[in-house]
Amino acid sequence: MPLRTTRREFLRAATAGMAAIVAVRPAAATPAAMQDAIGAVVGTARVTKGRVKLELPPLSENGNAVPLTVSVESAMTPAEHVRAIHVFTEKNPQPDVVSVRLGPRAGRARVSTRIRLADTQTVVAIAELSDGSFWSAEAAVVVTLAACLEET
Amino acid sequence: MAETLISVPPRARRGEIVEIKTLISHPMETGYRRSQLGARIPRDIIRLFVCTYNGAEVFRAALHPAIAANPFITFSTVATETGTLTFHWTGDNGFSVKETAEIRVE
Amino acid sequence: MLRLAAALGALGLAVSALAAEIPSAERRSGYDFMSRETRAMQDDDTANPAMLWVLEGGALWNRKTGAAGRACADCHGDARASMKGVAARHPAFDAGRGRPVSLEQRINACRVERQQAPALAYESRELLALTAFVARQSRGLPIDVAVDARTQPFLDAGRALWERRQGQLNLACRQCHDENWGHRLAGSVIPQAHPTGYPLYRLEWQALGSLQRRFRNCLIGVRSEPYEYGDPALVDLELYLKWRARGMLMDAPAVRP
């Protein structure tokens, strides 16, 4: 007579087996390293929360390519525009992700790319405006790992 | 050989904000990974992407290893005049790829 | 470890009794299990990184090569017409070899016999690019592999491999993909494993890869022998999965997590 096993038990058992082959990720940067990297960009200026919108999926299926969009409220005129946008992460091996320079010719302050996240963590975007002020937004992303990986 | 995929509207009204999307084949090897034998795989990334519009720079991005393989970057520019957009990616190991796209402004 | 093996052993008996094919109304492509973001990446050709390989494949299609000095296009002309539906009906029976061949093997046969060029290595950039370019011409078309007296034994062999428990975890493909699809495993949802999108860009690989590479990942996942690329057993498995997904629409080159 076959023994019955519930689905939950099956999944727990399978997960235990599969989890052992999950890739080992490299040592991570610390939140302090992120603060240093931010300091290198903003200097002694004050960074205020607001005006920046950081779009990231709250849950990512794979940390290798997480879509990211940053937009900043700005008229984008020669007199008043966004000069730069910087993105940092807390727990990647290196806190810097991307730094873009733009100006009034962009028409609107909005950029998108795809980033790597080594782990579940917080991402910070900082915008530098033409009046010298800095604005920021942050988002937390939960990264899940694939079940079936390569031999490496 | 690095393939690129660039999306620029072929025509636009003067003053219109146009969206530009770029994709380029590149492994963006972080420098933090190790081979099966344990040796560190050296970093090989695109470090800089610059877009110029009839010679004037309109957008620049400094990339770090946290940018996903086959970098995808989208941004915008105001259609000011008919002309050429030039896209230039440069990086480690002498990587340099330049592409252009024409835009007609009416 | 021993306890895990025992639990799975008991499970194997339990689920064998429940063996059932997924009814066609419930069949769902891996696409349907993906997040909105990953689907968006596949939906927009200008955002889908797999299109970089398609572009390269298109260039290779037109390039003369080998001792024959012929390009694919010299014989096949416009791929949009000549390669339409070809990926949807592969693996297909090859009379010369007396067995079904995968699309990669079919392309390599033309490389060697018609172009008189050396075969391209499995998972090489060039072979993936050509395969992606050919597969792209089947987008939106239903999967339709020919099952007849010649292919039936290979289809049966593929099904047997699918249903056999294997590896240190003693799991069959079927246990996850027919009987536990939709459930989460180590953070990812178990899909039904339909081969609609290959070759595809897997975020985990950060590159394009073939259906056989995907098989090998799951084989390694259950800690079983992964087989060599091109092994007849893997081609049989491709044939079985294509048959199992008959009528589903091709979405190659797709994106998967």
Side-chain angles (χ1 to χ4, degrees), chain A residues 8 44 60 79 96 100 102 108 117 139 145:
Chain A
R8 183 172 307 140
T44 55
S60 177
D96 310 84
V100 310
L102 63 173
R108 68 172 166 250
L117 290 175
L145 295 177

Side-chain angles (χ1 to χ4, degrees), chain C residues 11-254:
Chain C
L11 166 79
L13 290 172
V15 289
S16 299
L18 306 170
E21 206 185 303
I22 300 170
S24 69
E26 283 176 38
R27 277 192 225 148
R28 286 161 72 192
S29 156
Y31 177 90
D32 297 329
F33 296 92
M34 305 197 302
S35 70
R36 186 165 53 88
E37 292 79 17
T38 314
R39 287 201 301 252
M41 208 182 285
Q42 173 174 326
D43 291 343
D44 177 359
D45 272 353
T46 62
N48 181 348
M51 292 309 291
L52 294 166
W53 277 260
V54 172
L55 270 180
E56 189 171 335
L60 292 170
W61 179 263
N62 291 307
R63 187 174 307 156
K64 293 188 192 301
T65 186
R70 311 287 296 271
C72 315
D74 291 338
C75 296
H76 293 291
D78 186 346
R80 279 175 301 183
S82 65
M83 292 294 129
K84 191 173 171 185
V86 171
R89 61 171 183 264
H90 270 79
F93 192 78
D94 180 89
R97 298 204 205 186
R99 58 162 292 114
V101 293
S102 67
L103 183 56
E104 285 84 352
Q105 290 173 325
R106 193 67 200 74
I107 290 170
N108 253 335
C110 273
R111 274 275 300 185
V112 174
E113 291 152 27
R114 313 269 174 191
Q115 295 183 308
Q116 290 165 38
L120 297 168
Y122 286 106
E123 305 305 300
S124 62
R125 207 176 155 93
E126 283 181 310
L127 185 57
L128 286 170
L130 277 168
T131 312
F133 176 72
V134 170
R136 170 88 168 90
Q137 318 307 326
S138 288
R139 249 209 206 162
L141 297 176
I143 291 176
D144 183 21
V145 286
V147 177
D148 53 32
R150 295 178 310 176
T151 53
Q152 189 69 51
F154 303 98
L155 182 80
D156 292 342
R159 187 206 309 261
L161 179 50
W162 177 259
E163 295 186 340
R164 192 174 79 221
R165 282 188 285 126
Q166 50 189 324
Q168 284 176 41
L169 298 190
N170 203 30
L171 286 172
C173 315
R174 196 197 68 207
Q175 285 176 270
C176 279
H177 294 297
D178 285 340
E179 290 155 17
N180 282 287
W181 61 267
H183 291 256
R184 286 200 163 265
L185 179 62
S188 37
V189 180
I190 302 176
Q192 295 179 354
H194 293 301
T196 55
Y198 291 83
L200 58 71
Y201 191 90
R202 191 174 176 212
L203 303 184
E204 182 56 36
W205 298 331
Q206 310 188 56
L208 206 74
S210 69
L211 181 56
Q212 295 197 5
R213 182 172 182 191
R214 184 62 256 208
F215 288 168
R216 285 166 51 101
N217 285 185
C218 275
L219 284 160
I220 292 162
V222 297
R223 296 189 217 151
S224 178
E225 186 50 51
Y227 300 95
E228 288 306 316
Y229 283 106
D231 190 302
L234 293 185
V235 180
D236 295 346
L237 191 53
E238 280 197 38
L239 181 65
Y240 172 66
L241 281 198
K242 278 285 190 58
W243 175 80
R244 181 175 166 268
R246 61 199 175 280
M248 292 182 76
L249 304 184
M250 292 283 296
D251 63 347

